[in-house]
């Protein structure tokens, strides 16, 4: 029954595991919650722990982030160990964005592997089911089918806790909560130490605009009142608003990057140069609106110049977040170029620019990958602390 993948080709391995557990244990039930805009099933495994308390766990909400191993290990442990699942009924969403997942094929731990234009997709914010919620009634935008299915699950289960697994690209591990939560504040440092990962020291490291730190490695989840003119908000804030749910977002890094002491104006120049070259490539290609990758490139190209202006005002650069912003644009633009079969010279120039940006970033940054086992340990430890506090950690770690 151990189908854990050697690398995260998530949906198939998790589906096989969920179906096996559904057949093996009466307290496990696999179900299809609905279908996505692309017609793919949105799958969940319910693990009953004999309580009215309810926990919903999401994985894959950002399809370019590897959370498969963490959910795989969580499912295995909840199903097999009654003490771990006791005190809650668990609804585990196997992949919160199956449409996005089909465009990602993780091939290795390096930066070059991650930003492979043939196998990478990160949706624009307005295409992310995670950020497809609103507190307005009626909504100010057309909601995706995936978002509607997730909302139906929340309205059906009215969870006490919603845990969402993520992988920030670099920096330390951190956790976000929709309200102050004493066990998370008290135990996050211990969880990180046990997992062998360092905690984020500032809210800038992972790219989230975080302020008002609650405890080491813990910040309030941002944007509870929504983003943009249509006031999009997250799945966690929707659940908190409608069902008094505690939202817990758990971020484990992909890479540990050595200290970057590049000065802010130098980083700003790099951002402006990248913007100019990427914009020129975009102008030479077919309309970016023609592909999902093109839409993603367009949505992030506009972030580079404001980020450069911010860097100009800093003595030292904010760090690798600037690199990830550039590479998300170049990767998507190269994929769009290939998908649309634009003019040969334009396609070649765009792909060459992406490879140049990728190579220069890899050469400049001193980094090492965070092993999947460490990310799993942080994800599961943060979840156990949020759901059961110190007794949950004791149970989890005694089972390892």
């Amino acid at each position: 029954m151990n189908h854990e993948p050697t690398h995260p080709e998530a949906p198939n391995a998790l589906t096989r595991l969920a179906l096996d557990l559904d057949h093996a244990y009466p307290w496990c039930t696999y179900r299809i919650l609905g279908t996505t805009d692309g017609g793919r099933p949105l799958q969940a495994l319910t693990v009953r722990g004999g309580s009215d308390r309810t926990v919903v766990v999401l994985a894959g909400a950002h399809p370019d982030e590897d959370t498969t191993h963490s959910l795989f290990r969580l499912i295995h442990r909840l199903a097999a160990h009654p003490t771990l699942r006791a005190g809650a009924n668990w609804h585990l969403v196997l992949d919160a964005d199956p449409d996005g997942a089909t465009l990602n094929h993780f091939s290795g731990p390096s930066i070059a592997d991650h930003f492979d234009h043939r196998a990478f997709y990160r949706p624009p914010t307005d295409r992310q089911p995670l950020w497809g919620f609103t507190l307005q009634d009626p909504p100010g935008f057309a909601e995706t089918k995936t978002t509607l299915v997730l909302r139906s699950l929340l309205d059906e289960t009215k969870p006490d806790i919603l845990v969402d697994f993520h992988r920030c690209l670099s920096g330390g591990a951190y956790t976000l909560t929709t309200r102050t939560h004493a066990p998370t504040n008290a135990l996050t440092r211990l969880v990180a130490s046990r997992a062998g990962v360092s905690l984020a020291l500032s809210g800038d490291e992972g790219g989230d605009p975080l302020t008002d730190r609650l405890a080491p490695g813990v910040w309030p989840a941002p944007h509870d009142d929504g983003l943009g003119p249509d006031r999009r908000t997250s799945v966690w804030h929707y659940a908190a608003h409608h069902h008094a749910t505690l939202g817990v977002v758990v971020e484990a890094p992909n890479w540990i990057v050595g200290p970057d002491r590049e000065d802010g104006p130098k980083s700003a120049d790099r951002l402006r140069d990248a913007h100019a070259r990427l914009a020129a490539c975009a102008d030479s290609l077919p309309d970016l609106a023609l592909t999902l990758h093109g839409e993603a490139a367009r949505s992030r190209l506009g972030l580079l110049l404001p980020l450069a202006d911010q860097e100009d005002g800093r003595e030292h650069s904010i760090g690798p977040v600037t690199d990830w912003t550039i590479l998300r644009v170049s990767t998507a633009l190269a994929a769009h170029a290939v998908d649309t079969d634009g003019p040969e010279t334009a396609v070649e120039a765009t792909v060459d620019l992406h490879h140049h940006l990728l190579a220069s970033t890899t050469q400049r940054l001193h980094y090492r990958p965070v092993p999947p086992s460490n990310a799993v340990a942080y994800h599961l430890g943060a979840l156990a602390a949020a759901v059961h506090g110190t007794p949950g950690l004791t149970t989890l770690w005694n089972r390892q």
Side-chain angles (χ1 to χ4, degrees):
M1 200 180 295
N2 188 355
H3 305 298
E4 184 166 13
T6 56
H7 58 85
E9 297 292 347
N12 292 336
L14 287 169
T15 298
R16 290 196 301 272
L17 174 63
L19 287 170
D20 280 352
L21 295 175
D22 177 280
H23 292 136
Y25 300 124
W27 50 87
C28 293
T29 301
Y30 166 85
R31 60 174 172 151
I32 294 175
L33 302 172
T35 55
T36 67
D37 297 77
R40 296 177 178 87
L42 203 65
Q43 306 168 90
L45 181 72
T46 296
V47 181
R48 289 174 291 279
S51 171
D52 292 335
R53 198 169 181 228
T54 301
V55 178
V56 169
V57 181
L58 302 181
H62 282 147
D64 56 314
E65 299 178 16
D66 164 19
T67 56
T68 304
H69 294 288
S70 296
L71 191 63
F72 191 98
R73 296 312 308 161
L74 176 63
I75 289 174
H76 242 301
R77 292 178 186 181
L78 288 176
H81 302 301
T83 307
L84 285 176
R85 65 176 180 270
N89 289 322
W90 304 74
H91 302 277
L92 312 168
V93 178
L94 306 190
D95 185 349
D97 186 2
D99 292 343
T102 63
L103 298 175
N104 283 275
H105 303 284
F106 302 99
S107 59
S110 72
I111 293 173
D113 293 329
H114 186 87
F115 289 104
D116 182 345
H117 70 281
R118 300 162 299 181
F120 173 90
Y121 175 65
R122 184 178 178 91
T125 300
D126 62 5
R127 282 189 175 270
Q128 295 177 13
L130 166 70
W131 284 103
F133 290 77
T134 182
L135 305 185
Q136 294 179 305
D137 189 17
F141 54 90
E143 297 162 289
T144 68
K145 288 180 66 177
T146 307
T147 295
L148 292 173
V149 173
L150 292 174
R151 185 210 289 174
S152 179
L153 173 66
L154 297 176
D155 292 344
E156 170 200 335
T157 61
K158 298 178 173 57
D160 296 278
I161 300 177
L162 169 64
V163 179
D164 188 9
F165 290 154
H166 285 265
R167 296 292 302 272
C168 55
L169 292 182
S170 61
Y174 61 99
T175 297
L176 313 177
T177 59
T178 53
R179 64 174 185 264
T180 299
H181 185 241
T184 296
N185 291 351
L187 297 171
T188 294
R189 189 198 298 269
L190 179 62
V191 168
S193 176
R194 178 77 180 222
V197 296
S198 60
L199 285 178
L201 298 177
S202 79
D204 295 329
E205 289 184 29
D208 284 322
L210 307 180
T211 57
D212 303 321
R213 191 180 76 163
L214 301 172
V218 184
W219 281 268
H223 306 311
D224 59 338
D225 57 348
L227 290 167
D230 51 14
R231 302 188 74 79
R232 291 174 181 271
T233 196
S234 68
V235 60
W236 344 293
H237 289 305
Y238 174 87
H241 181 82
H242 286 283
H243 306 300
T245 302
L246 169 65
V248 180
V249 185
V250 188
E251 297 269 6
N254 275 9
W255 306 296
I256 302 300
V257 178
D260 183 357
R261 304 307 294 172
E262 182 180 40
D263 64 80
K266 183 177 180 180
S267 171
D269 289 344
R270 185 162 46 81
L271 284 159
R272 293 191 179 101
D273 177 68
H275 177 271
R277 299 173 72 180
L278 289 164
C281 285
D283 288 342
S284 69
L285 295 169
D287 188 352
L288 299 184
L290 292 174
T291 70
L292 293 175
H293 290 107
E295 289 182 345
R298 180 173 57 186
S299 74
R300 295 190 173 92
L301 184 60
L303 301 176
L304 298 182
L305 292 182
L307 187 54
D309 292 340
Q310 294 172 30
E311 288 286 86
D312 262 333
R314 296 186 174 104
E315 180 181 0
H316 297 295
S317 169
I318 195 173
V321 169
T322 60
D323 299 287
W324 314 144
T325 306
I326 291 170
L327 291 178
R328 282 173 175 167
V329 177
S330 69
T331 310
L333 197 62
H336 169 77
V338 173
D339 286 351
T340 53
D341 194 23
E344 184 176 350
T345 55
V347 172
E348 183 176 342
T350 304
V351 174
D352 285 348
L353 175 58
H354 170 59
H355 286 155
H356 166 74
L357 293 169
L358 191 54
S360 62
T361 300
T362 302
Q363 183 178 21
R364 184 167 45 81
L365 297 181
H366 302 286
Y367 75 96
R368 59 180 174 84
V370 174
S373 58
N374 295 66
V376 169
Y378 186 73
H379 282 146
L380 269 58
L383 178 143
V387 176
H388 292 310
T390 300
L393 291 178
T394 300
T395 301
L396 175 69
W397 292 337
N398 285 344
R399 291 289 180 182
Q400 291 182 344

